Amino acid sequence: MQKRQRQTLTIATTAFQVLARTQAKALGQPELPVAIIPHPLGPLSLKELHDIVDRQLDAMVKLVCEGNIK
Amino acid sequence: MNQNAAKKTETSRQLIEVDNDIEAVNHLYRERRWGDGLPVIPPTRERVERMLGGTTRPADEVVAHVQPGFGAATVRLIAVNAVMAGCNPGCMPVLIAAIEAVTDPLFNLQGIQATTNAATAFLIVNGPIAAKLDMNSGLNCLGQGNWANATIGRALHLIMQNVGRALPGEMDRATQGQPGKFTFCCPENEADSPWTPLHVDRGFKPEQSAVTVVGASGTLNLLCHEKDAADLLRVLADSIRYPASNDYWCGGAPWVIIGPEHAEIFAAAGMDKETVRLGLWEQSKMKASRRSMRDLARTRDARTAELGEIGPDTLLPISPTPQDLGIIVAGGPGTHSVYIPTFGNTRSVTRQIKT
């Protein structure tokens, strides 16, 4: 998406932070915005996930516009 | 490197000077994290050229891009890793087919290489190439001792790490991993199986060869001395049913390696492979309440579309359909079979081995 000039955001938990950044670099997108949220997501219900999204949405929009923040 | 004191090692991007000494080469490989922790055979130009003689594919042909790093697995890079693993040139067609298989989106290599789960690729070889390479499908076929079994599995895992860039602790996020991440490969014991081989089930001719890759989380030994086929089936099905399972979470595609003695008991009772497969699937259904409350919630998220409303008494099938549960026959004499749980969000893929 980023390569197609579409502003893109990747969301990863802390345990997958290295993966997200290394993979972005491997794909030629070292500046890809990556939002890091607490690990783990696995035990969370969909509602809990939606709550995280609701709480973090503004920060993520800002991240898409301005680059990496944590 | 060749026989001179200081030579060059070629990678896809660079040439590196290193003494032509096995300890120096292994030291370099340790520093650069190009190995699996065991000593490697230095991939000299001569050895790589000899390995390339095992295939008619052009050395610079890109077979696939390997996730999660999307490195280009050229035939030459496959040969380099095959040398490092100790393969004979005859293994090259198996490795090329295996790379094609693991990079099929159905296999979900991205998930398998980057997950916290222990999952990795288990290779099943079918057809005449297994005998040609002197592979072991009998006693201890998943264990040590056979050169081709060991080195083919090792080479694939080196490629997954070195070309796919799935370094442990970096992009490979496995919480503990498993011994199968060093090597995990065996042929089906077609000679001692009462049933058609896997590759024939999947549309190939018996005289063709094929490799199947499975996103395996490990092995579980299944000991049962029962001679009654129905009771044997019940016990095997009950043994593959456990609450902390990825397969029950999302509807996986696990495998059972039936030992030849167990297979013979089923066959003598008139049970073909499909009957055994259906019986294992039906009788391994698990009450949803056996999962933890958190994991039950995840199962609801993952499988409500497939199963409808999931309550504590819902019986969860291990896979969406009986056909998702794989069966091969392998091993030697003994009353053992083996369960191969999987990553869950993966499907096995079979590719023809073209020699």
Side-chain angles (χ1 to χ4, degrees), chain A residues 14-20 22-23 26-27 39 41-46 48, chain B residues 67-70 110 114-116 165 169-173 294-295 297-298 301:
Chain A
T14 45
F16 293 95
Q17 181 172 355
V18 174
L19 170 70
T22 311
Q23 192 163 36
L27 290 169
H39 188 80
L41 286 185
L44 303 183
S45 66
L46 276 181
E48 289 167 318
Chain B
Q67 294 171 316
F70 294 93
Q110 165 78 29
T115 179
T116 52
R165 301 173 200 164
E170 293 187 15
M171 289 210 276
D172 179 341
R173 307 301 301 166
R294 284 277 180 183
D295 288 322
R298 295 185 74 208
D301 293 339

Side-chain angles (χ1 to χ4, degrees), chain B residues 162-178:
Chain B
N162 293 337
V163 183
R165 301 173 200 164
L167 280 173
E170 293 187 15
M171 289 210 276
D172 179 341
R173 307 301 301 166
T175 306
Q176 289 92 10
Q178 58 156 318

Side-chain angles (χ1 to χ4, degrees), chain B residues 49-115:
Chain B
E49 287 304 315
R50 200 158 55 241
M51 188 63 65
L52 285 167
T55 178
T56 55
R57 306 270 289 260
D60 293 328
E61 178 187 347
V62 176
V63 174
H65 288 88
V66 183
Q67 294 171 316
F70 294 93
T74 59
V75 172
R76 185 185 307 281
L77 268 182
I78 292 171
V80 166
N81 284 274
V83 169
M84 289 165 62
C87 288
N88 291 325
C91 299
M92 278 296 288
V94 183
L95 287 171
I96 290 170
I99 290 298
E100 290 172 348
V102 295
T103 52
D104 185 308
L106 272 179
F107 185 69
N108 188 14
L109 187 62
Q110 165 78 29
I112 285 170
Q113 292 254 71
T115 179

Side-chain angles (χ1 to χ4, degrees), chain B residues 37-329:
Chain B
L38 297 172
V40 298
I41 304 293
T44 59
R45 286 182 188 278
E46 291 80 2
R47 289 187 181 119
V48 172
E49 287 304 315
R50 200 158 55 241
M51 188 63 65
L52 285 167
T55 178
T56 55
R57 306 270 289 260
D60 293 328
E61 178 187 347
V62 176
V63 174
H65 288 88
V66 183
Q67 294 171 316
F70 294 93
T74 59
V75 172
R76 185 185 307 281
L77 268 182
I78 292 171
V80 166
N81 284 274
V83 169
M84 289 165 62
C87 288
N88 291 325
C91 299
M92 278 296 288
V94 183
L95 287 171
I96 290 170
I99 290 298
E100 290 172 348
V102 295
T103 52
D104 185 308
L106 272 179
F107 185 69
N108 188 14
L109 187 62
Q110 165 78 29
I112 285 170
Q113 292 254 71
T115 179
T116 52
N117 190 288
T120 192
F122 164 44
L123 279 78
I124 303 164
V125 177
N126 277 99
I129 199 163
K132 192 175 164 194
L133 295 177
D134 201 22
M135 298 185 80
N136 175 26
S137 63
L139 285 165
N140 205 39
C141 61
L142 289 175
Q144 83 289 7
N146 179 274
W147 195 281
N149 290 28
T151 58
I152 290 171
R154 187 187 185 200
L156 176 67
H157 286 88
L158 284 173
I159 295 163
M160 285 164 53
Q161 177 189 287
N162 293 337
V163 183
R165 301 173 200 164
L167 280 173
E170 293 187 15
M171 289 210 276
D172 179 341
R173 307 301 301 166
T175 306
Q176 289 92 10
Q178 58 156 318
K181 295 182 89 162
F182 284 98
T183 183
F184 201 169
C185 172
C186 81
E188 181 165 22
N189 189 342
E190 298 176 19
D192 291 334
S193 171
W195 302 318
T196 50
L198 170 64
H199 70 309
V200 175
D201 292 344
R202 295 193 166 187
F204 296 99
K205 295 175 183 166
E207 62 270 24
Q208 292 178 314
S209 294
V211 64
T212 299
V213 293
V214 174
S217 293
T219 62
L220 176 69
N221 187 61
L222 305 174
L223 167 68
C224 185
H225 292 94
E226 184 55 58
K227 302 299 180 195
D228 177 78
D231 206 30
L232 172 61
L233 186 67
R234 177 187 66 81
V235 169
L236 296 186
D238 195 30
S239 302
I240 69 177
R241 169 168 53 191
Y242 64 95
S245 157
N246 269 46
D247 291 297
Y248 286 96
W249 158 47
C250 61
W255 284 68
V256 180
I257 301 176
I258 309 266
E261 288 188 14
H262 284 167
E264 192 48 48
I265 290 168
F266 290 133
M271 298 168 74
D272 61 15
K273 196 192 293 186
E274 293 315 305
T275 306
V276 172
R277 194 191 314 274
L278 182 61
L280 285 171
W281 188 78
E282 285 286 358
Q283 296 184 48
S284 63
K285 286 181 179 174
M286 183 175 72
K287 254 186 148 180
S289 59
R290 286 190 65 197
R291 291 180 65 71
S292 72
M293 294 308 289
R294 284 277 180 183
D295 288 322
L296 177 53
R298 295 185 74 208
T299 300
R300 285 196 183 102
D301 293 339
R303 300 191 75 178
T304 295
E306 169 200 346
L307 300 172
E309 191 176 336
I310 297 173
D313 293 328
T314 300
L315 291 175
L316 302 173
I318 198 165
S319 55
T321 71
Q323 287 68 39
D324 292 315
L325 200 164
I327 290 178
I328 58 166
V329 174

